[in-house]
Amino acid sequence: MKEKSKLRPEFRPKLFAALRTYSKERFAGDLMAGIIVGIVALPLAIAFGIASGVSPEKGLITAIIGGFIVSMLGGSSVQIGGPTGAFIVIVYGIIQNFGIEGLTIATLLAGVLLLLMGLMRLGTVIKFIPYPIIVGFTSGIALTIFTTQIKDLLGLTIDHMPGDFLSKWVVYAESITTISWPAVVVGLVSIALIVLTPRVSKRVPGSLAAIVVMTIVAYILREHFGLTGLETIGDRFQINASLPTPTRIAINPETINLLLPSAFTIAMLGAIESLLSATVADGVTGDRHDSNTELMAQGAANIIVPLFGGIPVTGAIARTMTNINNGGRTPVAGLVHAIVLLLILLFLGPLTRHIPMACLAGVLVVVAYNMSEWRTFRSLLKNPRSDVAVLLSTFFLTVIFDLTIAIEIGLLLAMVLFMRRISETTRVSVTTDHIDLSDEGEIHHDDEHLDVPRGVEVYEIDGPFFFGIANKFDECMKQVAGGKPAIRIIRMRKVPFMDSTGLHNLESLCRLSRREGITVVLSGVNDNVRAMLLRSGMDTQLGADNICSNIQEALTRSRALLEG
């Protein structure tokens, strides 16, 4: 019964636990934090929506519905869900290739994948994604976001914007003569306001200050002074300040096969970012999130949000930290944040049409800079060459191709290099005269040395026993001078585990040894490895007496075989 309970998925939203002991004092803190986070999320949701290739209200809808679901069902007490900069590149690419309908299906499929990850309790596994991969694609995304904002930051006139990184810069160079100096000034002043506002007031978000100030300035200059060359949201989008109704989605096997790679990327990126955000939050609050419940909540959000035209949802580190710093300690703060955004959309939505595009570009340039982690990137370049290879491969693949390829190849390369490193750490040594027991720790013995009988070779495996070890056996055997031994003792006291490939290699070694008339004796086999040998029938092939608990027993058995 206990084994079944371990496999049963557990869904434990933090909200339900928090409400059992909720108080007015706690609500006051959550209410204030939720209002502030909602205000902080406003410009970011609009900017992320536009940069992703959808209308600004779609970004707000994502933050409202997605943020509400993540807070209501999530496994973190302080996590704030919504659109993030990390998804801009992948979402924009999906829309370019498959349209809005393709994005809707890909997001929904990603939600299903996230839900399955949580049900299969893969939350802890996701945390072990190699750090160079995370930094590589995060820095690559940051550079790509910066690249996509050059047009609006400089106010360039470009009829058709290419999708790939290098072509964008070629088009920018060709269009530099169409630069709009009012847009440049608005963009640079917006960046300055974002950077300088925290030095004046920690309470006022820099991005909000930039949008409010530059929107008022742009409105006055356009309406009263006839300024041209400064594009606003209203010039490019029709703002719909209302919640949309759910739409039907047509899914068939062909679209699933076509969009599954993109859905996998969205799911992996969402899982990594949300669990990373929750882990960072735990370090600040001292709480402990439930990673599997969090993944299920993220899955539910990404299944429901696309039905209303939204884009992918994940945990947002910056907004989560804002929530914590302003007193939010339960999911109620996240619910308040979503309600605040809903009220802004319904009652102040039309005002967003006056926001300058150059100002939003400035907001995203700062977001890209903060995402770039260039100091971490630089420090990782001093790490072992395998880590550097993974870092640079993921970075350049993200920038030049797309995030789907970058994550897939980055993970594959990291696994191959990791397995190679593990293989290199596993050593096989051979002894033909005596064994030093001074540092054994396997069994206490009065003598410091054990003599190895003539005709016996002792091979010791130090490390995991998996593929690649057979070659090391061959190399050790070639190094031994003299004729063939009568007995080979294989010491496995330092083998923590053995996989099926290692078992196959061991079986092959025993089979070849038998053909040559050589008996194989195993020594120091731990319980896990012994159980695997018994299940495979190796005890029958070797003989139960030839699987010994320690080297003394193995040598005693060898002498008996030699005398017999």
Side-chain angles (χ1 to χ4, degrees):
M1 293 296 292
K2 288 185 178 180
E3 289 297 322
K4 289 184 179 179
S5 65
K6 287 182 181 179
L7 298 175
R8 186 182 303 147
E10 295 182 352
F11 182 62
R12 298 174 294 191
K14 288 285 188 176
L15 176 63
F16 302 151
L19 291 178
R20 296 193 193 107
T21 58
Y22 208 60
S23 63
K24 292 181 180 180
E25 293 76 14
R26 176 58 62 209
F27 176 69
D30 288 338
L31 178 63
M32 182 57 64
I35 293 172
I36 294 173
V37 175
I39 294 172
V40 171
L42 172 65
L44 295 176
I46 293 173
F48 293 149
I50 292 175
S52 299
V54 298
S55 56
E57 76 269 11
K58 300 298 184 186
L60 286 172
I61 288 167
T62 303
I64 293 167
I65 301 176
F68 193 90
I69 294 172
V70 168
S71 294
M72 183 174 65
L73 303 178
S76 171
S77 298
V78 293
Q79 181 89 281
I80 301 296
T84 65
F87 282 109
I88 290 175
V89 178
I90 185 66
V91 170
Y92 187 84
I94 293 173
I95 292 175
Q96 290 286 97
N97 295 322
F98 307 108
I100 295 294
E101 185 177 354
L103 173 64
T104 300
I105 296 172
T107 306
L108 191 149
L109 291 175
V112 173
L113 291 175
L114 284 165
L115 195 60
L116 291 175
M117 288 181 192
L119 290 172
M120 293 189 299
R121 310 184 72 148
L122 296 179
T124 54
V125 177
I126 297 297
K127 297 178 183 179
F128 295 109
I129 298 294
Y131 191 54
I133 291 181
I134 296 176
V135 175
F137 74 64
T138 302
S139 299
I141 289 169
L143 180 56
T144 307
I145 292 173
F146 173 77
T147 300
T148 60
Q149 297 310 302
I150 295 299
K151 174 180 178 293
D152 290 334
L153 188 66
L154 302 181
L156 301 177
T157 302
I158 300 174
D159 296 330
H160 175 70
M161 179 63 69
D164 62 288
F165 175 81
L166 297 176
S167 298
K168 279 187 174 71
W169 285 103
V170 172
V171 172
Y172 291 153
E174 294 173 349
S175 307
I176 195 65
T177 55
T178 65
I179 190 171
S180 170
W181 291 109
V184 173
V185 172
V186 168
L188 294 179
V189 172
S190 298
I191 293 172
L193 284 171
I194 295 170
V195 174
L196 297 176
T197 298
R199 300 182 183 181
V200 178
S201 173
K202 297 290 185 182
R203 291 283 183 178
V204 180
S207 56
L208 181 67
I211 284 182
V212 170
V213 171
M214 299 318 299
T215 299
I216 294 173
V217 171
Y219 178 80
I220 294 173
L221 292 176
R222 279 166 56 101
E223 298 298 325
H224 298 285
F225 293 91
L227 179 69
T228 59
L230 187 59
E231 189 179 24
T232 64
I233 290 178
D235 297 329
R236 192 179 296 181
F237 300 99
Q238 185 70 33
I239 308 299
N240 182 16
S242 63
L243 279 176
T245 56
T247 57
R248 296 184 62 183
I249 302 175
I251 300 180
N252 55 60
E254 292 182 2
T255 56
I256 291 176
N257 290 335
L258 188 64
L259 292 166
L260 195 57
S262 298
F264 173 78
T265 302
I266 294 174
M268 287 298 297
L269 188 58
I272 292 169
E273 189 166 9
S274 62
L275 296 184
L276 180 63
S277 174
T279 302
V280 171
D282 287 350
V284 178
T285 63
D287 195 10
R288 185 177 181 182
H289 74 279
D290 185 323
S291 55
N292 295 310
T293 299
E294 184 65 23
L295 285 182
M296 286 188 269
Q298 298 289 338
N302 282 287
I303 290 173
I304 296 173
V305 164
L307 300 177
F308 294 88
I311 59 178
V313 179
T314 188
I317 296 178
R319 274 159 276 171
T320 298
M321 291 305 299
T322 301
N323 181 33
I324 296 171
N325 294 335
N326 287 279
R329 288 297 180 272
T330 77
V332 173
L335 300 179
V336 171
H337 132 271
I339 294 171
V340 168
L341 284 174
L342 174 61
L343 296 176
I344 292 174
L345 173 64
L346 296 178
F347 298 106
L348 300 178
L351 296 179
T352 60
R353 65 184 302 272
H354 300 294
I355 299 174
M357 296 300 299
C359 179
L360 288 180
V363 171
L364 288 174
V365 165
V366 176
V367 169
Y369 177 82
N370 292 333
M371 281 183 63
S372 66
E373 298 188 60
W374 62 270
R375 293 180 181 86
T376 303
F377 192 99
R378 184 177 62 183
S379 65
L380 284 177
L381 292 175
K382 302 174 184 177
N383 282 12
R385 285 182 294 179
S386 58
D387 289 343
V388 175
V390 172
L391 173 70
L392 295 179
S393 298
T394 308
F395 174 77
F396 285 113
L397 286 170
T398 300
V399 171
I400 298 174
F401 294 99
D402 63 60
L403 199 56
T404 302
I405 296 174
I407 289 182
E408 291 173 352
I409 295 182
L411 283 173
L412 179 62
L413 183 60
M415 287 187 290
V416 170
L417 291 173
F418 174 75
M419 288 185 289
R420 177 189 171 191
R421 189 178 296 176
I422 291 295
S423 178
E424 290 173 348
T425 60
T426 302
R427 299 188 304 274
V428 178
S429 57
V430 61
T431 302
T432 57
D433 45 13
H434 62 268
I435 299 171
D436 185 3
L437 292 179
S438 59
D439 61 345
E440 288 294 289
E442 184 178 7
I443 190 169
H444 295 291
H445 200 276
D446 294 335
D447 300 325
E448 291 189 357
H449 297 87
L450 285 178
D451 293 327
V452 178
R454 185 181 298 274
V456 176
E457 292 176 357
V458 180
Y459 295 85
E460 178 158 13
I461 306 171
D462 185 356
F465 192 5
F466 67 120
F467 54 87
I469 304 305
N471 293 333
K472 293 191 176 184
F473 268 120
D474 292 337
E475 292 172 4
C476 284
M477 290 177 195
K478 291 176 183 177
Q479 293 173 3
V480 180
K484 294 180 182 178
I487 297 172
R488 285 189 177 123
I489 297 177
I490 302 177
R491 299 187 73 188
M492 303 180 70
R493 65 193 178 114
K494 295 182 180 179
V495 177
F497 68 88
M498 179 169 60
D499 67 357
S500 57
T501 308
L503 178 63
H504 174 73
N505 289 341
L506 182 61
E507 290 174 341
S508 298
L509 176 66
C510 295
R511 187 169 56 252
L512 291 173
S513 296
R514 279 200 307 270
R515 288 178 186 174
E516 297 176 342
I518 302 171
T519 302
V520 174
V521 177
L522 303 184
S523 166
V525 181
N526 67 34
D527 292 339
N528 291 332
V529 176
R530 182 185 290 271
M532 189 172 186
L533 294 175
L534 294 177
R535 286 196 301 270
S536 67
M538 278 288 289
D539 57 326
T540 303
Q541 297 181 40
L542 291 172
D545 293 338
N546 292 338
I547 302 179
C548 304
S549 300
N550 54 67
I551 188 61
Q552 286 85 355
E553 288 184 16
L555 289 173
T556 302
R557 174 61 179 165
S558 299
R559 291 189 182 96
L561 290 171
L562 289 172
E563 293 171 358

